[in-house]
Every structure is written in structure tokens, then in C-alpha cells.
Amino acid sequence: QKETDYDYCLVNLYLENEAYRNYFLEASQQGREIILDNAAFELPEAISGEVYLSVIKALKPNYVIIPDVLGDSIKTITSCMEFLSQYKDQIDAKLIGVVHGDNYCSLAQCYRWYQYLKIDKIAIPFHSPAYLKSHPSDNLLASQSNGRRKFIDRLSKEEFFNSEIPLHLLGCSVMSEFSTYANRERYGYIESLDTSNPIVAGLKNFRYN
């Protein structure tokens, strides 16, 4: 917490681990900003429904990531609509929608749906089938990193892009990608990011150059 601006909570670990759960409940009570993630990346499918709602009500996070489906814009939009129709009125938190798709058009369509639904923040994941198509490479991590960067640059030039809706970067493949966004005049709409990359690097005794 001394090094970060907010806490990022994975709902599956919150449900499974008492120490993890108590850590975040204490952080919430202390007024730390918290983003609650539905664990779509960590599990076969995102935690949703009444289970997710119960955690939201107990933890009282500042942001909730709407249940999404990896790589699929249609299923993600459907999941979002179903969740909002059932639970939006019961959630006292800002909402984050994750952009998914297997090509640029489907990614952009997902982004525009979140605009239409007036979602508070839009997240761009570090991995997508669309990135691999737009920036093919023998190096998977480089394809993901460069693909997301190019997607953001292309999206920001569209007439429908709204720089007033902040972006969140979900994870990363290559840490140096973040240096691209250090120009706040150019990328001021990127408000937050999360990544376990430096933690994994520490566990593996890997040093960044």
C-alpha cells in the first residue's frame, strides 16, 4: 500500500482465503480505493450473480468490474446487460466494463456499448485475439503488448472516442509498455492500471533492465 494508489481485489481469492478477505475489508474500512475484479481471467468464467453481489455489498469497493467473457464481445455485452438489469440498482460503486473481441471492429463495438450504457470506466485487457491478428509475431508477449498499444492509439483517433471516459489497463505482458503512456498530454485518459508482473518478477528473482 505504500507503493500503490489503490488496492485490487480478486473476488475468487476474497471468497476462498480468510486472510485475503480480512485484508481487503480492513482496507475498505480505512478508506482505501478498491477495484473488485470478477476473476474472469483466473477462473473458467467470471463470478457473477448473487455471489458477486454479496461480495460487493460486504466489501463496498469503489469500482466493480462487470462480469465479462474473455475474447468475446457479444457474450461480454450480453453478460453486462444481464448483470446490470438485475443488480445495477443494488450496487453503490462505479462500474468498469472490459473491452473484448477477436478483431478491431468487435473491440470498438464493445467500447461503444459501454459508452451507450454510461459505464464509468473502460478497461483494456493485456491479451486479446485481436492483438495477435493486428500485430503477429513469434514473440507472444510482444504481440500482446504492441497490439494493445496500437489498439489504444487507433481507438483514440475515432470520432466516437470519448477522452472523458477514463481507461484502465488490465495487466501487461511486457512492463516497458507502460512507459509508452508516460506522456500524460497524449495519454491523459489512461487513469489506472494493474499488473502482477513485478510481483511475479520478484518471486522468480528476475530484475528489470
Side-chain angles (χ1 to χ4, degrees):
Q1 289 183 340
K2 293 179 181 179
E3 302 294 339
T4 59
D5 300 307
Y6 73 93
D7 290 339
Y8 192 88
C9 180
L10 289 166
V11 66
N12 60 316
L13 298 182
Y14 179 96
L15 292 168
E16 297 168 5
N17 188 291
E18 183 179 4
Y20 188 92
R21 180 166 56 253
N22 289 338
Y23 173 93
F24 281 96
L25 288 171
E26 182 178 348
S28 177
Q29 293 170 1
Q30 292 176 349
R32 283 279 292 183
E33 182 173 299
I34 296 174
I35 294 178
L36 179 63
D37 190 322
N38 61 55
F41 180 71
E42 288 74 20
L43 301 177
E45 62 181 34
I47 291 179
S48 185
E50 295 294 333
V51 174
Y52 200 33
L53 181 66
S54 68
V55 175
I56 294 170
K57 289 185 173 182
L59 183 59
K60 299 179 176 61
N62 303 83
Y63 288 92
V64 172
I65 297 182
I66 303 166
D68 55 307
V69 180
L70 302 186
D72 194 314
S73 61
I74 300 301
K75 289 182 179 179
T76 290
I77 292 168
T78 301
S79 176
C80 173
M81 296 289 285
E82 291 176 350
F83 183 77
L84 294 181
S85 66
Q86 294 182 64
Y87 304 113
K88 184 177 182 180
D89 294 340
Q90 302 179 61
I91 297 175
D92 184 21
K94 293 183 178 181
L95 300 173
I96 298 177
V98 183
V99 169
H100 286 293
D102 61 358
N103 55 48
Y104 176 80
C105 290
S106 58
L107 290 173
Q109 179 188 39
C110 200
Y111 174 89
R112 297 196 74 177
W113 263 101
Y114 291 137
Q115 283 185 316
Y116 172 75
L117 295 172
K118 300 186 186 307
I119 300 302
D120 300 288
K121 183 181 286 193
I122 298 176
I124 313 297
F126 77 92
H127 62 97
S128 171
Y131 302 160
L132 305 184
K133 292 178 182 178
S134 66
H135 198 280
S137 170
D138 293 335
N139 187 324
L140 174 63
L141 299 183
S143 288
Q144 292 173 336
S145 179
N146 291 326
R148 177 166 65 177
R149 178 177 53 79
K150 288 191 173 184
F151 168 68
I152 291 173
D153 284 343
R154 182 175 176 182
L155 182 70
S156 67
K157 296 175 183 177
E158 298 282 7
E159 290 185 4
F160 58 78
F161 180 76
N162 185 352
S163 61
E164 297 299 314
I165 302 176
L167 296 186
H168 176 88
L169 303 184
L170 273 173
C172 76
S173 295
V174 181
M175 279 290 288
S176 58
E177 178 195 348
F178 291 145
S179 66
T180 303
Y181 313 117
N183 183 344
R184 304 311 296 153
E185 184 176 348
R186 171 69 180 84
Y187 294 102
Y189 47 79
I190 298 178
E191 184 176 77
S192 54
L193 58 87
D194 74 89
T195 178
S196 61
N197 196 296
I199 297 171
V200 174
L203 290 171
K204 295 184 176 182
N205 198 30
F206 171 78
R207 289 185 177 273
Y208 298 125
N209 57 32

